[in-house]
């Protein structure tokens, strides 16, 4: 039964996975909670997807912000999902987060933010992404700028 539990994967439906996992867990009451949690997490999909506009790698939470590079990408085709972005741009480095806002850019184009884990393959990534053909043009990439947050608190 432990081997079956170890081989269980999420698939397309998280509810089915949870139900099947729980049924298996009840058949092994002596299994330590730490082992149960580990097996459950290993069976989950590597990517979390939120409505097709946000995709985050499960391991991203373990990374510090100084280990990540954020890229602003404009001229994304409206037909592209986060999965399309992942399959198209993952050749340039390890992508850990993709976010496509629902609004358009100031120039009326679809845009998104892609976070890469820092690594040697990121050399020239902006130029490379800007050469990816889409429709009658190309993607436009630049380093994402951090928003400046102004505190409304008055310091005494």
């Amino acid at each position: 039964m432990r081997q079956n539990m170890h081989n269980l994967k999420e698939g397309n439906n998280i509810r089915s996975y949870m139900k099947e996992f729980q049924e298996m867990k009840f058949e092994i009451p002596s299994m330590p909670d730490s082992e149960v949690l580990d097996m459950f997490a290993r069976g989950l999909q590597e990517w979390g997807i939120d409505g097709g506009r946000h995709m985050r790698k499960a391991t991203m939470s373990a990374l510090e912000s100084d280990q990540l590079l954020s890229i602003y990408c404009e001229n994304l085709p409206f037909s592209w999902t986060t999965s399309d972005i992942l399959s198209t741009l993952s050749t340039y480095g390890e992508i850990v987060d993709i976010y496509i806002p629902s609004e358009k850019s100031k120039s009326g184009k679809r845009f998104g933010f892609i976070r890469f884990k820092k690594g040697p393959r990121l050399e020239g990534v902006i130029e490379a992404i800007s050469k990816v053909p889409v429709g009658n043009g190309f993607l436009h990439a630049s380093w994402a700028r951090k928003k400046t947050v102004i505190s409304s608190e008055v310091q005494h």
Side-chain angles (χ1 to χ4, degrees):
M1 184 55 64
R2 277 182 196 257
Q3 189 60 38
N4 290 346
M5 186 182 266
H6 184 73
N7 293 332
L8 184 63
K9 300 291 180 214
E10 177 184 342
N12 293 330
N13 188 331
I14 186 73
R15 285 189 180 149
S16 298
Y17 171 70
M18 289 174 67
K19 183 178 180 187
E20 193 171 350
F21 189 91
Q22 191 172 26
E23 288 170 0
M24 288 182 179
K25 164 61 176 111
F26 284 130
E27 293 182 27
I28 313 172
S30 62
M31 183 182 285
D33 289 342
S34 60
E35 187 178 356
V36 171
L37 182 60
D38 182 58
M39 282 190 182
F40 182 80
R42 287 175 190 261
L44 290 173
Q45 288 183 356
E46 185 178 22
W47 287 89
I49 300 172
D50 173 22
R53 294 187 311 109
H54 193 191
M55 184 180 226
R56 175 170 284 172
K57 199 169 190 177
T59 57
M60 185 188 155
S61 58
L63 298 171
E64 298 293 327
S65 61
D66 65 343
Q67 295 174 296
L68 302 171
L69 292 173
S70 295
I71 294 176
Y72 171 81
C73 192
E74 193 177 68
N75 204 26
L76 294 170
F78 285 95
S79 62
W80 278 18
T81 64
T82 51
S83 296
D84 295 319
I85 293 170
L86 179 66
S87 64
T88 304
L89 302 182
S90 62
T91 58
Y92 304 112
E94 183 181 350
I95 296 174
V96 295
D97 188 42
I98 300 169
Y99 176 65
I100 306 169
S102 56
E103 62 268 4
K104 295 177 188 174
S105 69
K106 290 179 183 175
S107 61
K109 301 190 182 215
R110 188 166 184 232
F111 69 98
F113 298 93
I114 299 113
R115 280 197 204 157
F116 288 86
K117 182 178 176 185
K118 283 186 181 176
R121 292 191 310 173
L122 288 179
E123 189 77 27
V125 69
I126 296 293
E127 294 80 14
I129 291 174
S130 295
K131 292 178 184 175
V132 173
V134 290
N136 293 331
F138 297 91
L139 292 178
H140 303 285
S142 62
W143 296 115
R145 292 176 287 182
K146 292 183 179 181
K147 277 189 173 179
T148 305
V149 179
I150 301 171
S151 176
S152 60
E153 295 179 14
V154 178
Q155 304 232 350
H156 296 286

